[in-house]
Amino acid sequence: MDYIELIKGFLLSPVETFRKVRKADLGDALKYFLILVVINTVLSVIISLVALSSIWAAYSSIFEGLGIALPAAAGFGIIVIAILMIFVTLLALFIGAAWLHLWVYILGGRKGYLETLKAIAYGDTPYLLLGWIPVIGLIGGIWSLILWTLGIRELHEISTSRAALALILAIVVLLIIIIALAVTFFYALVSSGVMPVPVSTF
């Protein structure tokens, strides 16, 4: 499988490319996704290091004064963080695909969980290529949402409206759940006295 051609295809002619990967198995999709995740992780780490270089220099001088070799420790820490980022991203792929597939299934998608996972894995191409760039990464994220919709439509062979609605429901319901949990947690802290409610002086 030519990954460069796949990248070009998903960026320039996604509908045709999604039709070409209908017969791709889980291994093909995961290899493609993992390659892009590694690229994204490496570039994200580099950007983060550049952005925090001044802070890094300040802390380095402090730790060197204490006799601690911070550069070596930091290098090891960066590797650990990068590995964790890759692992979490892969885990999020499977969990996210399961959540989205629930709504795809409700709206008529009957081609199976694997097709939803492929839609996300391949559809993440713009975000994984551009997500490490400040501001522009947002464009990559929106672009990927569009590709997810096209991927669901093509791989599950349902209408664009159903594919888009499945994605919207998955996002909106998840946000509602997160907000509800946050509010519940906040009120639990307040009622237990852990987080006192500020009293107005007026």
Side-chain angles (χ1 to χ4, degrees):
M1 181 178 292
D2 191 334
Y3 295 113
I4 300 299
E5 288 302 317
L6 276 180
I7 291 173
K8 290 180 180 178
F10 286 118
L11 294 179
L12 303 177
S13 52
V15 174
E16 294 178 6
T17 309
F18 271 118
R19 290 173 181 171
K20 291 179 180 178
V21 298
R22 281 177 178 167
K23 295 182 179 180
D25 58 26
L26 177 60
D28 292 332
L30 289 181
K31 286 176 185 176
Y32 175 84
F33 183 76
L34 184 58
I35 288 172
L36 293 186
V37 167
V38 170
I39 293 173
N40 176 274
T41 301
V42 171
L43 294 175
S44 295
V45 169
I46 291 174
I47 288 294
S48 298
L49 288 177
V50 171
L52 299 174
S53 60
S54 58
I55 298 176
W56 182 265
Y59 276 104
S60 292
S61 61
I62 294 173
F63 279 97
E64 285 176 3
L66 297 174
I68 300 175
L70 187 60
F76 177 75
I78 291 170
I79 293 174
V80 172
I81 290 173
I83 293 174
L84 285 175
M85 287 174 62
I86 293 172
F87 175 77
V88 169
T89 303
L90 285 173
L91 183 62
L93 171 65
F94 284 94
I95 296 175
W99 175 249
L100 177 56
H101 184 67
L102 169 65
W103 302 100
V104 171
Y105 187 86
I106 290 173
L107 291 169
R110 294 293 188 271
K111 297 297 182 178
Y113 167 75
L114 176 58
E115 298 307 310
T116 303
L117 188 145
K118 285 163 55 179
I120 295 179
Y122 290 125
D124 258 351
T125 299
Y127 174 72
L128 291 175
L129 290 177
L130 303 174
W132 57 276
I133 307 175
V135 181
I136 296 178
L138 178 62
I139 298 175
I142 295 173
W143 194 352
S144 281
L145 290 177
I146 295 172
L147 290 192
W148 286 8
T149 303
L150 294 177
I152 293 297
R153 184 190 73 183
E154 294 301 322
L155 299 182
H156 280 278
E157 298 179 16
I158 58 178
S159 66
T160 304
S161 59
R162 286 175 179 267
L165 182 57
L167 182 57
I168 292 171
L169 285 172
I171 294 173
V172 171
V173 173
L174 181 60
L175 287 176
I176 291 173
I177 292 173
I178 291 173
I179 293 172
L181 289 175
V183 171
T184 302
F185 181 69
F186 173 77
Y187 278 110
L189 290 177
V190 171
S191 61
S192 65
V194 175
M195 180 183 292
V197 179
V199 179
S200 175
T201 56
F202 297 99

